[in-house]
Amino acid sequence: MLAHRLAALLQRRGIHYAWAIAALTFLAMLTTSAALGLPGALMQPLSREFGWSTTELSSVFATRFALYGLLGPFAAVVLLRYGVSRVVAFAAAVIASTLVLGLFMHTLGEAFVLWGLVLGIGTGLTAMVLGAMVANRWFVQRKGLVMGLLAGSSATGQLLFLPLAAWLIEQHGWRWALLPVVAAAALVFVAVLLFMRDNPAQLGLAAYGADPAAAPAQAAPRADWKLPFRTLASAARVPAFWVLAGTFFICGLSTNGLVQTHFISLCGDYGLGPVPAASVLAMMGIFDLIGTTLSGWLSDRYDSRKLLFWYYGLRGLSLFWLPYSEFTIAGLSLFAVFYGLDWIATVPPTVKLAAAEFGPERAALVFGWVFAAHQLGAAVAAYGAGLSRSVLASYTPALFTAGAACLVAAAAVLLVRARTVAPALAPSRP
């Protein structure tokens, strides 16, 4: 009832309800990003209090990243079967409950279950697949821009929560740093139940930019649990899928698995405190939000392959330069601008290429598998960088490895053929 009233109010002001749905999705994905990024600020205090090594904590965080990605294709099925609003509300409740229970953990096993397994499942239900599904269902026009904004939610979550978390840890201890994210998850739970709807047809609307005379789109059919595997089997026969999955693996390897997880600890090795380091991450968040939104706009107008070539190439060069920044505020600020502008800028053109190659009706499911590769890359970097720090007493080998991989991705993405009409995947059985 409230959603219908809000839709009518917005319509009288010339605003399509799709933008309200985009805002709610942004809030949900922002909270997911905050929950995923928070452990990066907790690594040092957890190690000091419990005596856990960087490698042990990295294994917990790597598990969370892997689940966050591997659930992507199945999250698409869950969203199709049970509805976006129910699933997102459930995920918000899981995230809040897991963080609250984390206040009372004392063993590495408890940390693994709560912040590795359960948090990975909760955040996986509101991963990038949610953004791709909302953009494809609610928008005909401005799809690339919307996907850019939703992808940029990860930057905004970092911007809002990490500096606050670092300050709370310094002033009151790590347990207090969990509370803002818990409060945000509770807000998402309430707002989604009140205002989120699964598709425009539930409000008697057409998607934004669709022909107003056309009948409202019908709700998607219920999906069976074999659908992700059938989609993967069909997509795996197309070479472009492996290029997109491989380059997105490198994207995860060079972003949230490496920098988001280990940046504060890396700065600590050079004498920079948690609050200044978190502030640099927040600066990256600002520029990432700008860069990702701009990337969505550009992907509506230019060849996505060429955009990805520049994004990966520039990111690789920035990672090669980071160890030579001397970790001064000036040097790190330059890195934050250069690296931040294309942190998640790869998402809109990758979604666009997936839709062009496999068709819009399968884009969310195919992108779910591509995003799973992204998070496997993040898991490898989260664990590998921690191992490098423990065994070699330095993060530099991990930075150089990620930088080199980005240059490989820049070249590989040009192997995808330009398409204007997408071929159909093998049809799924009902």
Side-chain angles (χ1 to χ4, degrees):
M1 184 63 71
L2 286 176
H4 285 81
R5 290 179 180 176
L6 180 58
L9 176 62
L10 292 175
Q11 191 171 23
R12 287 197 295 271
R13 300 189 176 190
I15 301 173
H16 197 286
Y17 197 74
W19 294 108
I21 295 296
L24 282 172
T25 307
F26 184 94
L27 180 62
M29 294 175 68
L30 177 150
T31 303
T32 296
S33 170
L36 277 171
L38 188 61
L42 301 177
M43 186 173 292
Q44 291 182 338
L46 288 174
S47 181
R48 285 194 298 268
E49 178 168 335
F50 298 109
W52 302 332
S53 69
T54 302
T55 303
E56 290 172 329
L57 286 169
S58 296
S59 68
V60 173
F61 303 153
T63 301
R64 177 202 61 197
F65 278 128
L67 279 173
Y68 176 62
L70 288 172
L71 279 174
F74 303 97
V77 175
V78 172
L79 289 164
L80 287 170
R81 286 178 67 92
Y82 301 108
V84 172
S85 57
R86 291 179 183 176
V87 173
V88 175
F90 173 76
V94 170
I95 290 170
S97 301
T98 302
L99 292 176
V100 169
L101 290 173
L103 295 170
F104 309 102
M105 67 184 184
H106 294 94
T107 68
L108 187 65
E110 292 171 345
F112 180 81
V113 171
L114 288 174
W115 289 358
L117 296 178
V118 182
L119 187 59
I121 293 170
T123 54
L125 292 174
T126 50
M128 288 292 179
V129 174
L130 170 64
M133 184 171 290
V134 166
N136 282 312
R137 281 186 176 181
W138 284 87
F139 292 85
V140 172
Q141 297 177 0
R142 304 289 186 269
K143 197 174 293 186
L145 176 62
V146 171
M147 196 63 222
L149 285 167
L150 295 180
S153 63
S154 61
T156 309
Q158 185 171 285
L159 166 66
L160 291 177
F161 289 96
L162 273 183
L164 175 61
W167 182 83
L168 287 170
I169 290 168
E170 194 172 77
Q171 299 296 319
H172 304 289
W174 66 266
R175 289 173 176 83
W176 283 91
L178 304 180
L179 299 184
V181 184
V182 172
L187 175 62
V188 168
F189 177 81
V190 174
V192 164
L193 287 180
L194 291 177
F195 299 109
M196 179 72 84
R197 292 297 180 267
D198 296 341
N199 54 65
Q202 291 183 340
L203 296 174
L205 300 172
Y208 178 83
D211 183 357
Q218 296 300 310
R222 287 170 63 87
D224 64 274
W225 294 106
K226 294 180 182 179
L227 179 59
F229 297 106
R230 292 199 301 272
T231 301
L232 177 61
S234 296
R237 293 195 289 268
V238 181
F241 170 78
W242 294 105
V243 175
L244 293 177
T247 54
F248 231 44
F249 177 93
I250 292 171
C251 183
L253 185 82
S254 56
T255 53
N256 48 354
L258 177 62
V259 174
Q260 188 178 48
T261 302
H262 292 282
F263 187 76
I264 292 177
S265 180
L266 168 66
C267 290
D269 289 346
Y270 288 85
L272 194 68
V275 174
S279 299
V280 174
L281 277 173
M283 189 184 302
M284 289 183 207
I286 295 173
F287 285 98
D288 179 49
L289 182 60
I290 295 170
T292 305
T293 304
L294 179 61
S295 176
W297 183 84
L298 290 172
S299 68
D300 283 332
R301 290 162 176 79
Y302 299 102
D303 188 337
S304 294
R305 301 169 306 150
K306 295 177 181 177
L307 293 176
L308 289 172
F309 171 82
W310 285 107
Y311 296 161
Y312 284 119
L314 293 174
R315 183 189 300 172
L317 294 177
S318 69
L319 289 170
F320 279 127
W321 181 79
L322 179 58
Y324 302 101
S325 67
E326 298 182 354
F327 288 82
T328 61
I329 293 297
L332 289 176
S333 297
L334 180 62
F335 173 77
V337 173
F338 197 70
Y339 178 88
L341 280 171
D342 78 348
W343 184 320
I344 313 292
T346 54
V347 173
T350 301
V351 171
K352 195 93 173 188
L353 285 174
E357 191 72 34
F358 301 104
E361 72 281 358
R362 296 293 183 87
L365 278 166
V366 172
F367 181 70
W369 285 111
V370 172
F371 186 71
H374 182 282
Q375 292 308 115
L376 287 175
V380 168
Y383 180 77
L387 186 64
S388 173
R389 173 65 179 79
S390 296
V391 175
L392 302 176
S394 174
Y395 283 112
T396 300
L399 295 171
F400 284 175
T401 300
C406 285
L407 299 184
V408 172
V413 77
L414 297 178
L415 297 174
V416 178
R417 291 180 296 172
R419 289 185 181 272
T420 55
V421 179
L425 285 175
S428 59
R429 296 185 298 273

